[in-house]
Amino acid sequence: FDLLFSFGVEEIDNLTQHTMTFLPDDQVAWAQHQMQVGKEKGLRTILMSHHQLFSRASSPGVPNGDLSEAATMPDRVYGTYAASEFSTRAADLPGGLGDGVESTVNTRLLHQFPPEALKDVAAWFWGHEHTSMIFEPYAGLERGRCIGNGAIGDNVEADYFGTDDSLETGPWGGFPEIIPGSEIQHGDNFWGLGFATMTLSGKQATVDYFQLLDSKTPDGPGIVWGNATKYFTETFE
């Protein structure tokens, strides 16, 4: 496997909305080159990033925003990074959505990593949301994995696997679905904290997903977190 860790131009608030995260020119060129080299060597790529390619309940932002783009101008003028991605307007991105439309998919990242590139990606692990979501194939990606629940657990009353119906899903046929049987559990007060381990063996990768659940102890210290237990395992090539 070819392992890539990606970072990008951070989402920027423009008073009412924020713009989508994407890679600056040098980073996307580097990532695409590494993926191509891996492909030539018969390797598949595993991507890891903070921000997500898609979500059921968290907007990735909007493609364009005048204030947001202006805020990056000093860095671009002084050569901190180049960001030609802004020159592609929303309607020309995957899905063909309008400037202010928020969807389930970060269409800027999908523009930089289109389906023809994603077919060589075995899995993409991300965080940002404080949840654990193991998704069915979606938006051209075979395995999207959110593992952002390492430190902050949602309140047990939260609609953990719910959807944000304000997000546009049409171009992708609906919301991304969770693999049945892969759902994390909750304790007395919070949804589980968790982490994942990956074991590489030849052409195979085995990923084990673990959870820590809390319990109430009224006569003790308050909330106690249990030991980590495995709740899902997958193996892929």
Side-chain angles (χ1 to χ4, degrees):
F1 286 96
D2 185 18
L3 296 176
L4 291 182
F5 298 81
S6 68
F7 304 89
V9 177
E10 178 63 89
E11 60 189 29
I12 303 168
D13 290 331
N14 63 359
L15 302 183
T16 58
Q17 293 176 306
H18 60 268
T19 52
M20 293 173 171
T21 298
F22 60 88
L23 296 185
D25 295 355
D26 58 342
Q27 290 187 23
V28 72
W30 177 84
Q32 291 172 346
H33 173 73
Q34 297 302 320
M35 292 171 68
Q36 181 59 35
V37 170
K39 181 179 180 180
E40 293 171 358
K41 294 182 177 181
L43 303 175
R44 298 192 73 196
T45 296
I46 295 174
L47 290 174
M48 299 181 183
S49 63
H50 173 82
H51 284 92
Q52 67 272 59
L53 177 63
F54 56 76
S55 172
R56 287 171 61 83
S58 178
S59 167
V62 295
N64 292 99
D66 291 339
L67 291 176
S68 298
E69 294 175 43
T72 68
M73 190 59 66
D75 284 330
R76 289 190 277 161
V77 169
Y78 287 103
T80 305
Y81 56 78
S84 61
E85 180 65 26
F86 275 137
S87 65
T88 303
R89 305 306 297 179
D92 298 319
L93 295 172
L97 304 175
D99 281 348
V101 177
E102 299 181 69
S103 71
T104 51
V105 177
N106 182 325
T107 54
R108 288 221 172 274
L109 282 179
L110 193 59
H111 180 240
Q112 295 181 319
F113 297 95
E116 55 266 30
L118 290 179
K119 69 181 181 182
D120 296 315
V121 174
W124 188 337
F125 294 86
W126 58 70
H128 192 62
E129 298 173 73
H130 300 156
T131 60
S132 174
M133 302 272 178
I134 302 173
F135 293 106
E136 298 276 13
Y138 190 74
L141 178 64
E142 187 174 1
R143 297 178 186 87
R145 305 292 185 254
C146 179
I147 49 173
N149 62 325
I152 301 175
D154 278 355
N155 188 285
V156 70
E157 296 177 357
D159 187 6
Y160 198 83
F161 297 103
T163 59
D164 181 348
D165 293 336
S166 71
L167 300 179
E168 178 60 54
T169 65
W172 301 281
F175 286 95
E177 297 294 337
I178 309 298
I179 293 177
S182 72
E183 299 90 345
I184 198 169
Q185 298 173 321
H186 62 76
D188 292 335
N189 300 277
F190 301 99
W191 284 90
L193 301 180
F195 61 92
T197 63
M198 181 185 299
T199 302
L200 301 180
S201 178
K203 293 186 176 181
Q204 285 192 330
T206 297
V207 184
D208 294 312
Y209 298 85
F210 294 86
Q211 62 184 1
L212 293 82
L213 305 180
D214 74 290
S215 58
K216 296 178 181 177
T217 56
D219 300 324
I223 296 175
V224 174
W225 291 92
N227 293 327
T229 59
K230 189 189 307 183
Y231 68 94
F232 189 70
T233 297
E234 62 178 340
T235 297
F236 54 81
E237 295 184 355

